[in-house]
């Protein structure tokens, strides 16, 4: 089989790998042109990539998809970058996303500095808005639409900090930030992987401070906030704490299952105790639907066992997670 050599340039360094020639497909550039050049590496299976080709071909032109064995290099020119990146997210795991603005466009948005925060519950959204952030909402377990994130960044100002507040949202946030940068906006995507880290970052946000200094302060606050949450298993699975079955209450610390129990309150108390064992002066609880009594029990427990620790409770109204927990 004939082979072709694909080259991916990232940060000045070139990575080379051989791919079968038949996997490459090029669609000629149309006379109308396109607004953005979108490129990314993609971890995905052959069947998903075949569907991706069809989606991207309908969106734009200059389409090139090369790769094999689960690794693909994707290139396309499209009027809007968001749908092209979202198509990659549906197909697999895009990374090293590069977006170049091909047509001249004037940035129209706010001035000054601002914050964009992604929220998965009405109460959480209200909290972020009270702290001065522009909120992009998403359903639990999903990513927000890239055009919505981009619109929020444009609205927020000329210097914008983005709080993804979920590890799965970071790729979409990074893609929106790249587009906004091409339009002249200074954007920093902070490494907030949980809602409680976003709250901690916003607590120290100061719009009157130099943007770079503000980003450092917010990043530091988020980094010093350990996160956990309580959820209910919907299927049998092996976890780091043992086998869980449908209906079991799971307590997670930093994304790993640490406790399996029968009640939300009991598991939450255990999770908080374990997190405080590593130190901490403030516990933050964000309650989901029907978790008020569990939060009250945790509050009583902390008051009785750790009087040196402050505790705050917010009604997040998030679905899927009865309690979100932060320790600073």
């Amino acid at each position: 089989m004939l082979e072709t050599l694909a080259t991916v340039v990232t940060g000045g360094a070139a990575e080379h790998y051989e791919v079968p020639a038949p996997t490459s497909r090029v669609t000629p550039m149309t006379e109308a042109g396109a607004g953005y050049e979108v490129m990314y590496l993609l971890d995905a299976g052959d069947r998903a990539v075949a569907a991706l080709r069809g989606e991207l071909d309908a969106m734009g032109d200059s389409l090139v998809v090369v790769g094999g064995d689960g690794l693909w290099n994707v290139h396309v020119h499209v009027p809007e970058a968001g749908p092209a990146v979202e198509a990659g997210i549906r197909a697999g795991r895009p990374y090293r996303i590069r977006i170049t603005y091909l047509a001249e466009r004037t940035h129209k948005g706010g001035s000054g500095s601002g914050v964009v925060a992604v929220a998965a519950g009405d109460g959480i959204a209200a909290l972020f808005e009270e702290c001065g952030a522009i909120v992009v909402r998403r359903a639990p377990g999903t990513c927000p639409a890239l055009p919505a994130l981009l619109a929020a960044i444009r609205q927020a100002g000329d210097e914008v900090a983005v709080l993804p507040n979920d590890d799965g949202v970071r790729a979409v946030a990074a893609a929106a930030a790249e587009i906004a940068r091409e339009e002249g906006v200074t954007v920093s995507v902070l490494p907030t992987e949980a809602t409680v880290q976003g709250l901690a970052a916003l607590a120290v946000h100061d719009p009157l401070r130099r943007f770079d200094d503000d980003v450092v302060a917010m990043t530091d606050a988020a980094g010093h906030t350990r996160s956990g949450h309580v959820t209910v298993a919907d299927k049998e699975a092996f976890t780091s704490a043992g086998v869980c079955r449908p209906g079991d209450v799971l307590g997670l610390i930093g994304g790993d299952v640490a406790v399996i129990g029968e009640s939300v309150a009991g598991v939450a108390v255990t999770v908080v105790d374990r997190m405080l064992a590593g130190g901490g002066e403030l516990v933050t609880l964000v309650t989901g639907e029907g978790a008020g009594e569990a939060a009250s029990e945790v509050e009583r427990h902390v008051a009785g066992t750790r009087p040196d620790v402050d505790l705050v409770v917010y009604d997040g109204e998030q679905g899927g997670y009865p309690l979100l927990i932060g320790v600073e």
Side-chain angles (χ1 to χ4, degrees):
M1 180 183 296
L2 294 175
E3 303 282 323
T4 182
L5 189 66
T7 302
V8 183
V9 180
T10 56
E15 297 179 356
H16 302 273
Y17 56 93
E18 291 186 345
V19 296
T23 64
S24 174
R25 183 177 185 279
V26 180
T27 303
M29 185 76 169
T30 65
E31 183 178 350
Y36 298 93
E37 178 186 55
V38 179
M39 297 181 290
Y40 49 80
L41 296 182
L42 178 71
D43 289 338
D46 293 356
R47 191 171 296 179
V49 169
L52 174 65
R53 279 200 188 97
E55 284 192 71
L56 295 180
D57 191 26
M59 291 180 194
D61 51 28
S62 298
L63 174 63
V64 180
V65 180
V66 294
D69 296 327
L71 176 63
W72 307 86
N73 184 19
V74 179
H75 171 282
V76 67
H77 289 181
V78 287
E80 291 293 337
V85 176
E86 290 177 329
I89 292 172
R90 287 191 295 272
R93 186 178 73 90
Y95 59 102
R96 294 187 184 173
I97 299 168
R98 295 289 182 270
I99 298 172
T100 303
Y101 196 55
L102 299 177
E104 186 176 354
R105 179 184 293 177
T106 301
H107 166 63
K108 296 181 180 180
S111 59
S113 63
V115 178
V116 171
V118 178
D122 290 341
I124 294 170
L127 286 173
F128 286 149
E129 287 171 348
E130 288 173 8
C131 294
I134 294 174
V135 173
V136 177
R137 303 191 183 207
R138 68 179 180 90
T142 68
C143 285
L146 190 149
L149 263 174
L150 180 57
I153 292 171
R154 288 170 172 160
Q155 179 185 348
D158 297 319
E159 297 176 320
V160 183
V162 180
L163 308 177
N165 302 326
D166 187 287
D167 192 48
V169 177
R170 292 183 66 181
V172 179
E178 285 290 341
I179 298 171
R181 291 185 188 112
E182 292 292 336
E183 298 176 356
V185 184
T186 299
V187 187
S188 180
V189 179
L190 275 62
T192 54
E193 299 180 352
T195 295
V196 290
Q197 292 181 334
L199 289 172
L202 275 170
V204 300
H205 167 56
D206 183 354
L208 300 180
R209 186 162 44 199
R210 285 184 65 253
F211 179 70
D212 289 347
D213 294 338
D214 198 40
V215 166
V216 169
M218 294 172 71
T219 301
D220 185 63
H224 283 87
T225 302
R226 303 188 304 281
S227 66
H229 65 268
V230 176
T231 188
V232 179
D234 59 2
K235 61 183 178 181
E236 184 171 315
F238 290 97
T239 76
S240 52
V243 177
C244 71
R245 294 174 173 79
D248 284 347
V249 179
L250 309 179
L252 289 83
I253 299 176
D256 293 324
V257 176
V259 183
I260 300 175
E262 299 179 356
S263 73
V264 170
V267 168
V269 165
T270 302
V271 168
V272 169
D273 280 346
R274 292 192 183 183
M275 293 177 71
L276 284 174
E281 301 174 347
L282 173 65
V283 174
T284 300
L285 302 179
V286 181
T287 61
E289 300 170 359
E293 181 54 39
S296 297
E297 187 163 334
V298 173
E299 190 171 9
R300 289 191 292 268
H301 174 77
V302 171
T305 61
R306 292 293 303 269
D308 57 313
V309 173
D310 294 323
L311 186 144
V312 294
V313 181
Y314 299 112
D315 183 7
E317 302 176 33
Q318 72 275 1
Y321 300 104
L323 278 177
L324 307 177
I325 303 168
V327 173
E328 302 175 52

